[in-house]
């Protein structure tokens, strides 16, 4: 679906189209939306929307060296998930699913919802500021990045992180697989997320 | 604190629903 105007409602569809249709196995996609903080008179990227697809195979993931979260850490994650669930569905709601293991990548995705980046800082902020994609493939590249978000991602078992700038923000993708740069994917992002481009109208 | 911006609330709701359905599919007791 290509429209000329930015449309919050179609963000989810666009993120799904991007990674469900990809040949590579992406774990999640996030759209960081550009806004201006009136108080600080500064541009920043905040949560626009996100799509968590999940990992292909949990057993395969654990072989890759991502150590499982400790019992205390799991309890903490479940507690937060329970609180978030009651925030969404009401305090009386019960959901057995919140008592299931919260995987590292699920947790990383959830924590991302609380984050924002000043233009020029962090991986999404850099991509937006320079208008150049950032593609980090391989745990070593993530671990040695100057950006905390990339290092954090590696700690949660992600092996590839990509930030592709568009007119209104940045599309970030993450995977527990090592995925090398793909022109096809970058073209897809340009088509799906280049809002307000008169040529696409 | 209960003050969750609308877009994050929507994203979170989708995430929780999808997680629920994924776990139901995996669990032998889910159906």
């Amino acid at each position: 679906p290509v429209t000329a105007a930015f449309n919050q409602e179609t963000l989810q569809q666009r993120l799904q189209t991007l990674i469900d249709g990809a040949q590579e196995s992406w774990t999640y996609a996030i759209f960081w939306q550009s806004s201006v903080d009136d108080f600080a008179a500064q541009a920043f990227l905040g949560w626009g929307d996100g799509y968590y697809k999940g990992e292909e195979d949990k057993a395969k993931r654990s072989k890759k060296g991502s150590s499982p979260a400790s019992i205390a850490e799991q309890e903490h994650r479940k507690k937060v998930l329970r609180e978030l669930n009651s925030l969404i569905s009401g305090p009386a709601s019960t959901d057995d699913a919140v008592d299931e293991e919260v995987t590292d990548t699920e947790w990383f995705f959830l924590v991302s919802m609380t984050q924002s980046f000043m233009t020029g800082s962090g991986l999404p902020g850099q991509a937006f500021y320079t208008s150049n994609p950032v593609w980090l493939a391989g745990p070593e590249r993530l671990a040695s990045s100057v950006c905390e978000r990339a290092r954090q991602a590696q700690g949660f078992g992600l092996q590839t992180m990509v930030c592709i700038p568009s007119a209104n923000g940045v599309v970030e993708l993450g995977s527990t697989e090592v995925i090398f740069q793909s022109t096809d994917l970058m073209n897809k992002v340009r088509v799906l997320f280049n809002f307000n481009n008169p040529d696409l109208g | 604190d209960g003050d969750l911006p609308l877009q994050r609330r929507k994203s979170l709701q989708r995430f929780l629903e999808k997680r629920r359905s994924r776990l139901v599919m995996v669990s032998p007791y889910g159906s």
Side-chain angles (χ1 to χ4, degrees):
Chain A
V2 176
T3 59
F6 177 80
N7 184 345
Q8 192 87 45
E9 291 307 312
T10 62
L11 271 180
Q12 183 67 198
Q13 285 168 259
R14 289 165 199 267
L15 292 169
Q16 282 192 32
T17 303
L18 184 64
I19 64 172
D20 282 349
Q23 285 181 328
E24 308 88 4
S25 174
W26 295 102
T27 307
Y28 72 85
I30 293 171
F31 184 71
W32 296 105
Q33 196 171 322
S34 165
S35 305
V36 176
D37 181 340
D38 291 333
F39 187 70
Q42 215 169 357
F44 73 98
L45 293 166
W47 180 266
D49 204 354
Y51 171 57
Y52 179 85
K53 188 180 176 191
E55 294 146 63
E56 297 273 307
D57 182 355
K58 275 190 192 177
K60 215 164 90 181
R61 178 206 60 196
S62 60
K63 279 182 202 160
K64 285 179 185 160
S66 161
S67 55
S70 67
I71 292 172
E73 172 64 17
Q74 267 302 323
E75 285 310 312
H76 168 65
R77 291 179 189 180
K78 287 175 189 173
K79 181 172 175 279
V80 172
L81 212 62
R82 267 195 295 273
E83 286 169 3
L84 289 171
N85 188 57
S86 54
L87 195 66
I88 296 293
S89 311
S93 71
T94 53
D95 181 0
D96 293 342
V98 297
D99 288 322
E100 293 293 328
E101 182 200 348
V102 183
T103 67
D104 284 353
T105 56
E106 282 178 320
W107 187 246
F108 180 73
F109 183 81
L110 273 173
V111 169
S112 300
M113 288 188 202
T114 66
Q115 295 182 336
S116 58
F117 305 90
M118 301 311 286
T119 300
S121 81
L123 214 60
Q126 273 186 12
F128 192 68
Y129 182 70
T130 61
S131 299
N132 284 319
V134 182
W135 195 297
L136 301 178
E140 307 81 15
R141 294 279 320 271
L142 290 173
S144 62
S145 171
V146 292
C147 296
E148 194 192 339
R149 181 162 175 79
R151 297 196 301 273
Q152 193 185 27
Q154 195 271 329
F156 285 117
L158 289 153
Q159 303 206 51
T160 304
M161 189 179 238
V162 174
C163 284
I164 305 171
S166 78
N168 300 69
V170 169
V171 177
E172 179 190 301
L173 298 120
S175 176
T176 52
E177 311 277 323
V178 177
I179 300 173
F180 294 105
Q181 193 156 335
S182 144
T183 315
D184 182 49
L185 182 93
M186 291 208 268
N187 288 337
K188 266 190 184 169
V189 169
R190 285 192 187 108
V191 171
L192 285 166
F193 293 88
N194 215 353
F195 307 108
N196 300 327
N197 181 342
D199 296 340
L200 298 174
Chain B
D1 60 0
D3 182 22
L4 203 60
L6 181 66
Q7 195 51 35
R8 289 177 197 205
R9 178 179 281 266
K10 280 186 185 172
S11 299
L12 183 60
Q13 195 163 7
R14 269 196 218 103
F15 172 81
L16 290 171
E17 278 166 10
K18 191 155 184 288
R19 176 178 151 83
R20 204 174 298 135
S21 59
R22 198 169 51 241
L23 291 170
V24 164
M25 277 194 292
V26 169
S27 166
Y29 310 104
S31 60

